Amino acid sequence: MTGPTPEQAEHERVRFLAGVTESLAELLDTGRAADRLARLVVPRLADWATVTVLAGDGAPGRTARAHRDPRRLADVDTYLAGRVAAPRDQAALTAALRSGEPVPVDPVDLDLGPEALPEGPVRDAWRRLDPRSGLLVPLQARGSAFGVLSLVCTGDRPPLTPEEVDLAAQAARRGALALDNTRRYGRQLRVAETLQHSLLTPPPERAGLQIAVRYRPAGSHALVGGDWYDAVAQPDGATLLVIGDVTGHGVEAAAAMAQLRSAVRTLAYDSPDSPARTLDRVDRVLSGLHTGTLATALVARLELPAADGTRTLRWSSAGHLPPLLVAPDAAVRVLSSPAERLLGTQEPARRSDQQTVLRPGEAVLLVTDGLVEVGRQDVDTGMARLVDALHGLGGLSADALCDRLLTRVVPDGTDDDVAVLAVRLLPD
């Protein structure tokens, strides 16, 4: 049987490399990208392979693996978990990382000393894997080496040919670029999460009130957004409640959220006023500083208690979801608000205040749209589902109310951030 013609071989090579690029380009998780790269090169270039991404910039180190025989994966895992780095291993690895070129290992030493392989299951797994030759290919992108692709040939399979070594190097270059993108994405995600969590502080303790807050970031395949909450004790004794959502995702959204949150709490504390006028002043700041920030927000002001223990709640919504009132008897009411413009739109229309009276035992709930648009459902459907989920939770503490609600609505996480703020008036 004759082999493929040069033209056929070249076509197959190009198709293989294109498949590597296409398969990895869509991934944003380093672990998944490393796992897919290992599976792409087996069995085309090796009988088994590992992809090691070194730790750095606060990210954990990762090792992915693949074997042409799925029954041998347990042996690969046993070997990887129990091996001990020996000088002979480090020399080849260091040479690959420093030179940026593939380093062949031929033959592989089947009888590694105890300094590299402990006796027992680890050594037994190594022998069953039957490595005969190998190739260490550095993973480097943008001038930096950050890992290695290790290809292992077993049994009677000959060492890689020069053409296969070149193909492995090209596949590693494409894989490294994709992996570096996931690492950069991960760093950005960690920065955004750190910034966001640093700003989402615990609520103040207020006499006669239970205040609970929750923040749940988006799932691993979506960037952190700009959801935030805030609760501030006002100089006149009132309590300011704020919830909002900056458009966009990632570090930019988290930074914009930080600016907006600071503006709202500073302006509201310095000059206690109605929620609508507070939002008007925030709009003037955003416009004057040309921040380019666009966000929904709801600002509410819970007044001091009247003689009968009730409290007036005043609020104004900048395109945000309305508050929900949860009564001890399990009744749930949506406190409807007129649809008014988002923050940052620079439209001239004035904002309006709404108000209601809260009685002891009642709770008011503020949420962001990540809790409503679960599964990409529309707002009306999501609000109806949220109201249903709140039934039977009216007698709970503010903390328990938040926890039970999240369990009912988003037990497995969500594709968007979720922020929740609940305030319950303590009964007499």
Side-chain angles (χ1 to χ4, degrees), residues 274-297:
S274 77
R277 285 196 286 270
T278 295
L279 287 173
D280 280 335
R281 291 203 304 275
V282 172
D283 251 337
R284 288 197 294 273
V285 169
L286 296 179
S287 177
L289 296 180
H290 306 289
T291 63
T293 299
L294 190 66
T296 70

Side-chain angles (χ1 to χ4, degrees), residues 383-394:
M383 287 297 293
R385 182 187 180 195
L386 186 59
V387 169
D388 288 341
L390 286 167
H391 282 302
L393 305 184

Side-chain angles (χ1 to χ4, degrees), residues 103-137:
V103 174
V105 181
D106 182 22
V108 171
D109 187 354
L110 290 175
D111 190 27
L112 294 178
E115 76 279 8
L117 286 178
E119 295 292 341
V122 179
R123 184 172 291 275
D124 292 342
W126 172 253
R127 288 171 176 162
R128 284 193 296 270
L129 288 170
D130 192 27
R132 297 305 174 111
S133 63
L135 184 72
L136 297 178
V137 190

Side-chain angles (χ1 to χ4, degrees), residues 158-181:
L160 272 65
T161 65
E163 292 77 16
E164 289 173 325
V165 171
D166 179 68
L167 184 60
Q170 293 186 56
R173 280 195 290 270
R174 298 187 181 212
L177 183 59
L179 283 165
D180 190 51
N181 288 338

Side-chain angles (χ1 to χ4, degrees), residues 54 92-101 103 138-140 145-148:
L54 304 178
L93 177 61
T94 300
L97 292 176
R98 286 184 174 176
S99 68
E101 299 295 331
V103 174
L139 297 172
Q140 55 183 1
F146 57 85
V148 63

